[in-house]
Structure formats: C-alpha cells, structure tokens
Amino acid sequence: MPVRETISSIVEDKATAWIGESAMQADSSSQFISCTAFANYGDGITAGVASLILGSIVTNNELDGIHAASDWSILKCAAYGNIGNGIQVDENSTVRHCSSALNRDSGIRLTGQSGVVINNAVHENDLHGIICAKTTLTAIRVDGNTNTDNDVTGLLMESGGGLVIRNVAAGNVTAFTLHADTNRGPVVDVEGVGDISTVTNANHPLANFIY
C-alpha cells in the first residue's frame, strides 16, 4: 500500500513496491528513515518543505527516485534505475553522501538558486551526473563529488554563480560544463598522466580533476 502521512510525520523502516502512483508521500517537516521504494509508477519518495530523508533506497520508479521540495536534507541515500532523475531537489536543499546511478535522466538535479551537493557518487546516468538548473545560481556549493561514466556531462552548471570545488570526473562524454561566471577551483586534466605532481594546478587545494 502507498504511504501517506501528514505534517511532521516520521516514516521509518517502510517499504513499497509496484504502487500505481507515487509510493511514499508526507507533508512538510517530515522524516523518512531507512525506507525503500521499488518499481512504483510515480516518484519513489516525496514530501513537503523542510523534510529529511536518511538512509533510504529508491530504485526503478517510473518518475524520480526522490522528488524534493525546498529546504530538504537528503543524506546517505541510494537512487538507482529510476525513469526520471535519481534525486531532484529545490531551493536551499542539501544532498550529501548519496549514490545515484543508472537513472534515465540525471543522477542529481538541483533546481533552486541555493543548496549544497557534497560528497556524492553519480555514475552511468543517461544524461548528467549532477545538474544545477536555474537561471541564477547565487549560493550553490558543489563540492567533493565523483562523477563517472555519465552519457552527457559529469557536472553541468547552467548559469553563473555558485561554487564548484574538489570534484572529480572520469569517463563522461563531457567532464565539466561550467558557465563562464561559475566560481570554481581550477579544472585539471590528469588522465593518463601517472605522476600528477608535474601537472599545473594539480596541487591546488580546491582543484577539480578529470582523470
């Protein structure tokens, strides 16, 4: 059965599969902890603003694995094989220590002007590993992510602003597509180099690497 909860709910250790709509939904200020949403016909997990998802798994859902409103924290989650994005979040949200792979759209899609995407692993998605999609990216931090083998771009910043540091990319069609006005550490290509200490900016503490 689908999970439907009201405001300030705690949903823990729940699992849904083959639900004919979005599987797990809650109103704002809610928590999903150690939940699993598999092969549902809508989004895997979704909730109102200022909610938390921790340690949950969303796989093979027909829309997004996790579809978040603003002011969310998504921590230590796994999103695999969803028809939409693995994880989609809006304004002022944090995605941290998650893995998102083999999704038909992008691994992580952030649609707000501000947020944090840090220390995630995204690979083998049909579009981008990580995409920050907004006309103005005033306060987005994209830091320490591993982007590998995505079919279009490892990391795409669609407009200027934000901060892109300490990310790595390998095996993508395009490693990084950064707007000219994106604030960033240097992008350093060390693919096939071996000893990277000889490469300019390889010792820069905020460098982004292609390998």
Side-chain angles (χ1 to χ4, degrees):
M1 294 180 61
V3 174
R4 300 289 182 267
E5 299 291 345
T6 57
I7 192 169
S8 300
S9 297
I10 298 176
V11 182
E12 189 168 5
D13 295 322
K14 296 288 187 181
T16 60
W18 300 294
I19 301 297
E21 53 192 309
S22 294
M24 297 186 183
Q25 298 180 16
D27 290 335
S28 60
S29 303
S30 293
Q31 300 178 50
F32 292 91
I33 302 171
S34 299
C35 293
T36 301
F38 170 75
N40 300 286
Y41 295 101
D43 298 315
I45 298 175
T46 185
V49 300
S51 293
L52 167 71
I53 302 180
L54 174 64
S56 295
I57 300 170
V58 288
T59 58
N60 299 105
N61 297 286
E62 290 289 329
L63 295 177
D64 295 330
I66 295 171
H67 191 100
S70 60
D71 298 288
W72 272 49
S73 292
I74 302 171
L75 311 174
K76 297 182 179 180
C77 293
Y80 289 90
N82 300 285
I83 302 302
N85 300 290
I87 299 170
Q88 175 160 318
V89 293
D90 204 347
E91 204 81 30
N92 299 320
S93 293
T94 296
V95 183
R96 188 165 187 165
H97 293 142
C98 295
S99 59
S100 187
L102 301 168
N103 301 289
R104 296 281 184 88
D105 204 323
S106 296
I108 298 172
R109 181 181 177 91
L110 195 150
T111 59
Q113 293 184 352
S114 58
V116 175
V117 182
I118 184 168
N119 290 346
N120 302 287
V122 289
H123 64 90
E124 296 176 272
N125 297 286
D126 285 3
L127 290 180
H128 314 291
I130 297 170
I131 174 173
C132 296
K134 191 71 175 181
T135 55
T136 304
L137 303 174
T138 56
I140 286 178
R141 177 183 167 196
V142 184
D143 184 355
N145 301 285
T146 300
N147 310 272
T148 56
D149 298 315
N150 298 287
D151 286 353
V152 181
T153 311
L155 169 59
L156 171 61
M157 302 288 284
E158 287 197 332
S159 62
L163 180 65
V164 175
I165 54 175
R166 292 187 291 252
N167 300 282
V168 297
N172 308 283
V173 172
T174 301
F176 298 103
T177 298
L178 307 179
H179 190 276
D181 296 328
T182 298
N183 305 301
R184 59 189 181 271
V187 176
V188 182
D189 190 343
V190 297
E191 185 175 1
V193 169
D195 180 3
I196 69 171
S197 65
T198 62
V199 178
T200 301
N201 284 325
N203 63 346
H204 194 292
L206 302 181
N208 301 283
F209 284 96
I210 303 169
Y211 68 100

